[in-house]
């Protein structure tokens, strides 16, 4: 099966350029979880209220998700190298500002800026991979990206615990941000030297769809705000924003269709959704992130609040998942070209088995030993996670025209952010509600984990359904003419994995 994609750069330095992208991606994703264990330090050293602590965490996730698609499109139009370096520079400066924040209000403001910068960096990474690599090399590159996603998400609590343990409670939270400075500066310097300078993707100047940005931004804000503030924003009024989000998304879809009919460049090429690999892959990613990212949230709380682990010990307890996830993603990157969607099914099955193993261990093992008892299930779940994230990213983006790769990557990652926020809201509600009403933390963590298993099962069913559908109705050799024509402007042809 063939499709048309961009000719990769002949520069032998592209693997070093990939290392630059992955390093920036690592520190930006690390900051989604590293601050969780620093919240008590912020309360002690900065007198941060519960509301301020909530916004330190959720504000970053909110602005991160808001800018992914517009930033990806901006990189498509004006150059991914420039967008990447700008985002990385702002992220590094915002990290310094967070560490130096004189009050909780300033810290929240700087976190919002930091999240915006992280959202600018993220879609450029997938777009640059599309441009620099093809075939088996692209799959390997996405495998490494999957390793970074898995490790950065899981290792955050451990890194935060180490820093606070080393520096102390009063100022430990500041070093959670300061640690980004040397990495950010070194990565920026390396990026200036190593990132390739690609010409404009289509050879013609396109107008930025500003109204589309406003519609999509308002829709994502209305969707994510009640989710990230589910615990702090009491009452049911917040859920009224969800139908507002649906109306705004419908308006965005209609506007983008109008842009296409008028021959103007849309923010998101809606014909991408005619690609089954892109549509199903995005849905699988959304539901999977809703399931697996919530595990670290409630499990870390359980270990610290119920078992009595320190922040460092709680971080060490999830380390097996992080290490196994990196291994699984690297393996998945090598095998996806041969096995396609089957690999995602195997990976999701491993995640479900691993989470069920954690549930059993919590039930059968004395609490003080639960960290050791869950190590093997965490390894199984981690390998499954790596076999899910890496191959699914490759399969989702493999047919996307390179000149739309940034916006497409932004759509994929926006789904991941929305899924994470929704999962934490749902699973967190189950966990906290049972604790409040029944006072049984062991049962609460089991119910929370089983809820995460149920969400992961939805992703598994989507992958199985897609796999069966491919046997009956293989995806066409070419995508719709509008997508294919855009691809042909990008360069040479490339083979795509049969099982994609």
């Amino acid at each position: 099966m063939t499709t048309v994609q961009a000719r990769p750069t002949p520069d032998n330095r592209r693997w070093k350029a990939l290392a630059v992208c992955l390093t920036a991606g690592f520190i930006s994703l690390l900051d989604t979880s590293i601050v969780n264990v620093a919240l008590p330090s912020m309360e002690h050293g900065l007198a941060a209220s519960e509301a301020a602590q909530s916004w330190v965490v959720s504000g970053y996730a909110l602005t991160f998700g808001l800018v992914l698609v517009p930033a990806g499109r901006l990189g498509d139009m004006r150059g991914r190298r420039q967008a990447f370096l700008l985002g990385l520079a702002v992220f590094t400066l915002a990290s310094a500002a967070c560490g130096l924040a004189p009050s909780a209000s300033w810290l929240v403001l700087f976190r919002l800026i930091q999240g915006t910068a992280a959202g600018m960096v993220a879609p450029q990474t997938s777009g640059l991979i599309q441009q620099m690599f093809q075939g088996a090399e692209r799959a390997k590159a996405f495998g490494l990206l999957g390793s970074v996603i898995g490790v950065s998400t899981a290792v955050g609590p451990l890194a935060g615990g180490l820093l606070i343990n080393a520096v102390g409670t009063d100022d430990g939270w500041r070093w959670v941000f300061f640690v980004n400075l040397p990495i950010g500066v070194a990565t920026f310097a390396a990026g200036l030297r190593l990132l390739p300078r690609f010409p404009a993707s289509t050879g013609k100047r396109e107008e930025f769809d500003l109204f589309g940005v406003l519609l999509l931004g308002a829709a994502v804000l209305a969707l994510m705000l009640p989710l990230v503030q589910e615990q702090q924003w009491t009452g049911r009024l917040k859920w009224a924003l969800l139908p507002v989000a649906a109306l705004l998304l419908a308006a965005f879809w209609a506007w983008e269709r109008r842009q296409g009919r008028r021959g103007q460049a849309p923010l998101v090429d809606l014909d991408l959704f005619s690609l089954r690999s892109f549509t199903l892959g995005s849905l699988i990613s959304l539901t999977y992130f809703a399931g697996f990212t919530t595990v670290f949230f409630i499990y870390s709380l359980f270990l610290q609040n119920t078992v009595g682990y320190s922040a460092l010990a709680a971080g060490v307890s999830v380390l097996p998942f992080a290490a196994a996830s990196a291994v699984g993603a690297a393996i998945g990157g090598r095998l996806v070209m041969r096995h396609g969607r089957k690999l995602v099914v195997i990976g999701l099955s491993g995640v479900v088995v691993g989470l069920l193993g954690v549930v059993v261990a919590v039930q059968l093992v004395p609490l003080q030993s639960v960290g050791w008892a869950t190590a093997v299930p965490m390894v199984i779940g981690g390998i499954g996670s790596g076999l899910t994230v890496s191959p699914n990213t490759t399969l989702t983006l493999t047919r996307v025209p390179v000149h739309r790769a940034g916006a497409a990557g932004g759509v994929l990652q926006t789904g991941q952010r929305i899924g994470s926020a929704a999962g934490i809201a749902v699973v967190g509600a189950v966990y906290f509600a049972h604790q409040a009403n029944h006072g049984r933390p062991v049962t609460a963590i089991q119910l929370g984990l089983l809820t995460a298993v149920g969400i992961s099962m939805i992703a598994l069913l989507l992958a199985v359904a897609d796999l069966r559908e491919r046997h009956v109705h293989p995806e066409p050799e070419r995508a719709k003419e509008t997508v294919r024509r855009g691809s042909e402007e990008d360069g040479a042809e490339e083979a795509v994995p049969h099982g994609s």
Side-chain angles (χ1 to χ4, degrees), residues 157 295-320 358 362 366-374 378 431 435 441 445:
V295 173
F296 306 111
F297 173 63
I298 62 170
Y299 188 59
S300 295
L301 286 176
F302 172 75
L303 291 177
Q304 293 181 73
N305 297 340
T306 300
V307 183
Y309 280 21
S310 66
L312 180 58
V316 171
S317 296
V318 299
L319 190 59
V358 174
V362 170
L367 288 185
Q368 291 302 321
S369 303
V370 74
W372 293 104
T374 57
M378 283 285 184
Y431 175 73
Q435 282 231 91
I445 187 66

Side-chain angles (χ1 to χ4, degrees), residues 139-140 142-144 146-147 324-335 386-387 390-391:
K140 182 179 178 182
F142 275 126
L144 294 172
S147 298
S325 178
V327 173
I331 295 172
R334 295 180 182 276
L335 298 181
L387 291 176
S390 166

Side-chain angles (χ1 to χ4, degrees), residues 351-406:
V351 171
V352 170
V353 170
L355 291 181
L356 290 175
V358 174
V359 172
V360 173
V362 170
Q363 176 66 33
L364 299 180
V365 176
L367 288 185
Q368 291 302 321
S369 303
V370 74
W372 293 104
T374 57
V376 172
M378 283 285 184
V379 168
I380 296 173
I383 292 175
S385 178
L387 291 176
T388 299
V389 175
S390 166
N392 188 63
T393 302
T394 302
L395 298 174
T396 303
L397 299 178
T398 192
R399 297 176 182 275
V400 172
V402 173
H403 81 287
R404 298 292 186 191

Side-chain angles (χ1 to χ4, degrees), residues 1 4 6 41 99 105 109 186 230 264-265 291 355 376 398 429 431 453 468 482 491:
M1 185 173 291
V4 183
S41 175
S105 298
L109 174 62
E230 195 273 334
Q264 297 179 346
L355 291 181
V376 172
T398 192
Y431 175 73
V453 168
R468 293 185 61 183
T482 52

Side-chain angles (χ1 to χ4, degrees), residues 267-281:
L267 179 64
V268 177
D269 187 351
L270 298 182
D271 285 322
L272 290 172
F273 292 98
S274 68
L275 300 171
R276 187 174 63 206
S277 55
F278 180 77
T279 303
L280 264 296

